[in-house]
Amino acid sequence: MTFPGSRVIDMASKKHRKSRKDRIIEVAERLFAKRGFYGVSLRDITNEAGVDVALVKYHFGNKQGLFDALLQRRADILNRERSEALKRVLERNNPASVEEIINAFTHPILNEIVSEDESWRDYFGLLAQVNNNPEWGGKTMSRYFDPLVQKFIDALRDALPGSDEADIYWCYHFLSGALTLTFADTKRIDALSRGVCRSSDFESVHARMVPFIAEGFKKICRKTEEAKP
Amino acid sequence: MTFPGSRVIDMASKKHRKSRKDRIIEVAERLFAKRGFYGVSLRDITNEAGVDVALVKYHFGNKQGLFDALLQRRADILNRERSEALKRVLERNNPASVEEIINAFTHPILNEIVSEDESWRDYFGLLAQVNNNPEWGGKTMSRYFDPLVQKFIDALRDALPGSDEADIYWCYHFLSGALTLTFADTKRIDALSRGVCRSSDFESVHARMVPFIAEGFKKICRKTEEAKP
DNA sequence: GTCTATAGCTTGATAGAC
DNA sequence: GTCTATCAAGCTATAGAC
């Protein structure tokens, strides 16, 4: 070894200087979030990351492979956090309340989006576009999220005994639309409300969203019995 | 006049054979709905419409001009229908109920989307993508829809006396997210529910959406007083 | 892992004939 | 209004050197 201690230095520098693969995936996430899959070229990404285009092929196969990899990366994290949140809620109280279940689904997003790691905001901006894409959005969202969503549906069914199957699925659909738009941070609400609401005030909107959605679920799925508090 | 009666024939053929300008705008609407602004090239559009690329410049200036023209066209129709629906509701009952106001906002969409004119479905698929675009979605939606949305906000404020300003705007935001995803018809719900719900069953989902949203509004905006039936 | 170099094609835009 | 023809720039993908 010509440079004694170089291994330590390497490990230290590894923490500070990210791999080119990571740089590509991070820049891609930010750009795809802004303009969608078709609105970003590989050169947009690799130029901003300061690497060569050919590296995309080496690390991800092609543009689609890069897109899939970056969706998968945070979907895994989000699914794990949601799964743990649901588990905690059900351990404490089974069946849990509708509010608790909705909160287990949405609160992990709030945690991530208010964290120091600002790149989570990009991810949710991207998810909003994917969720609302009529061509491949449904399939893509299903692929990454539906296995766990099924467990949330099961919990909601237990929380709303005697409810109609279709009612629960449709209500989840309303939740999904409100949720993805909310965390997409499009700034529309800022202009519409002339500054009364700020699109990036995620705590405020989350505090309203959970009871809003929970109340809708109860209204639609509890037709047969009296609404309980 | 060399061809007596040619004017009558022209008028008849005008009804059947659409102008090239109209063909461009119709094809563009369908393709933009599928893949968004960046996912469609002018050649995709003009090839499918059977016209030359140069016509886009002549009729619309450029790609952006074409996109704006096609958004504006149906926004005008939708705004007029919503405005009339709101007027009817308020004439019958002022202040109106939250359900009636929400319905005046959403039912015109239902009418259009179940009509024979299938191209309305494309338009709402496109609107869902615009609404959820973090880069220019907020501005674009505001431009075409917010003036009338303000009137709906006013009506909701009257229907929910003593409510907080921010609450009403945030609830509108949840409505907007649920509404645009619902009529985007992404087919996700079909897979998730294993056929129990069909994404294109617009009457079913609309019948659930209006009370779902209305109940959320009442829950969030009526904190200070008792909820009335 | 990373780069150079390039093939082969598509893009938005437009000048100018008819 | 509509077309032909063309441009300069951009695109994804990949072969092959290091």
Side-chain angles (χ1 to χ4, degrees), chain A residues 62-115:
Chain A
N62 56 24
K63 189 182 180 181
Q64 186 68 52
L66 168 57
F67 190 76
D68 293 342
L70 118 208
L71 279 184
Q72 183 80 64
R73 187 175 65 137
R74 294 202 202 254
D76 288 344
I77 300 170
L78 181 56
N79 279 330
R80 197 183 58 237
E81 289 175 351
R82 278 175 164 169
S83 177
E84 286 165 3
L86 180 62
K87 194 175 158 224
R88 278 195 302 275
V89 162
L90 293 178
E91 277 171 359
R92 201 171 52 219
N93 206 353
N94 196 341
S97 72
V98 176
E99 277 86 351
E100 287 173 311
I101 299 165
I102 304 293
N103 192 66
F105 192 73
T106 60
H107 205 277
I109 299 185
L110 179 62
N111 281 343
E112 283 147 355
I113 215 159
V114 301
S115 72

Side-chain angles (χ1 to χ4, degrees), chain A residues 11-215:
Chain A
M11 283 174 67
S13 76
K14 233 184 183 175
K15 277 195 171 179
H16 289 270
R17 302 216 294 122
K18 285 169 179 159
S19 72
R20 280 165 159 81
K21 185 178 178 181
D22 284 345
R23 288 224 302 278
I24 291 171
I25 220 168
E26 283 168 14
V27 171
E29 191 169 58
R30 189 168 66 250
L31 297 185
F32 282 141
K34 271 195 208 151
R35 302 163 67 95
F37 181 77
Y38 304 108
V40 181
S41 75
L42 293 182
R43 275 176 174 78
D44 291 338
I45 296 164
T46 53
N47 286 349
E48 193 161 324
V51 304
D52 195 274
V53 234
L55 281 188
V56 173
K57 181 181 168 60
Y58 179 76
H59 285 297
F60 305 101
N62 56 24
K63 189 182 180 181
Q64 186 68 52
L66 168 57
F67 190 76
D68 293 342
L70 118 208
L71 279 184
Q72 183 80 64
R73 187 175 65 137
R74 294 202 202 254
D76 288 344
I77 300 170
L78 181 56
N79 279 330
R80 197 183 58 237
E81 289 175 351
R82 278 175 164 169
S83 177
E84 286 165 3
L86 180 62
K87 194 175 158 224
R88 278 195 302 275
V89 162
L90 293 178
E91 277 171 359
R92 201 171 52 219
N93 206 353
N94 196 341
S97 72
V98 176
E99 277 86 351
E100 287 173 311
I101 299 165
I102 304 293
N103 192 66
F105 192 73
T106 60
H107 205 277
I109 299 185
L110 179 62
N111 281 343
E112 283 147 355
I113 215 159
V114 301
S115 72
E116 318 89 64
D117 181 2
E118 292 185 18
S119 51
W120 274 102
R121 301 188 191 191
D122 296 327
Y123 187 70
F124 293 117
L126 181 53
L127 273 195
Q129 293 176 77
V130 172
N131 198 27
N132 286 271
N133 178 297
E135 195 183 31
W136 40 261
K139 262 198 209 340
T140 308
M141 291 299 287
S142 284
R143 173 143 72 105
Y144 294 110
F145 298 108
D146 279 2
L148 182 58
V149 168
Q150 281 293 358
K151 296 193 180 172
F152 277 86
I153 298 277
D154 291 342
L156 286 164
R157 196 165 20 228
D158 293 343
L160 295 158
S163 57
D164 189 67
E165 275 291 276
D167 285 338
I168 293 189
Y169 284 112
W170 279 127
C171 288
Y172 168 75
H173 174 86
F174 303 142
L175 159 61
S176 176
L179 179 63
T180 52
L181 179 63
T182 290
F183 290 112
D185 194 12
T186 67
K187 314 278 187 230
R188 182 184 176 193
I189 202 76
D190 305 51
L192 177 65
S193 72
R194 288 188 224 80
V196 172
C197 302
R198 281 173 304 113
S199 190
S200 55
D201 186 359
F202 298 113
E203 277 104 344
S204 279
V205 59
H206 185 266
R208 290 167 169 99
M209 185 173 58
V210 174
F212 183 101
I213 299 292
E215 207 66 11

Side-chain angles (χ1 to χ4, degrees), chain A residues 33-35 38 129 132 134-135 146 150 167 169-170 172-173 182 188-189 192 198 208 212 216 220, chain B residues 33-35 38 129 132 134-135 146 150 167 169-170 172-173 182 188-189 192 198 208 212 216 220:
Chain A
K34 271 195 208 151
R35 302 163 67 95
Y38 304 108
Q129 293 176 77
N132 286 271
E135 195 183 31
D146 279 2
Q150 281 293 358
D167 285 338
Y169 284 112
W170 279 127
Y172 168 75
H173 174 86
T182 290
R188 182 184 176 193
I189 202 76
L192 177 65
R198 281 173 304 113
R208 290 167 169 99
F212 183 101
I220 302 301
Chain B
K34 272 195 208 151
R35 302 163 68 97
Y38 304 109
Q129 292 176 78
N132 286 271
E135 195 183 30
D146 279 2
Q150 282 293 358
D167 285 338
Y169 285 112
W170 279 127
Y172 168 75
H173 173 86
T182 291
R188 181 183 177 194
I189 201 77
L192 178 64
R198 281 173 305 115
R208 290 167 168 99
F212 183 102
I220 302 302

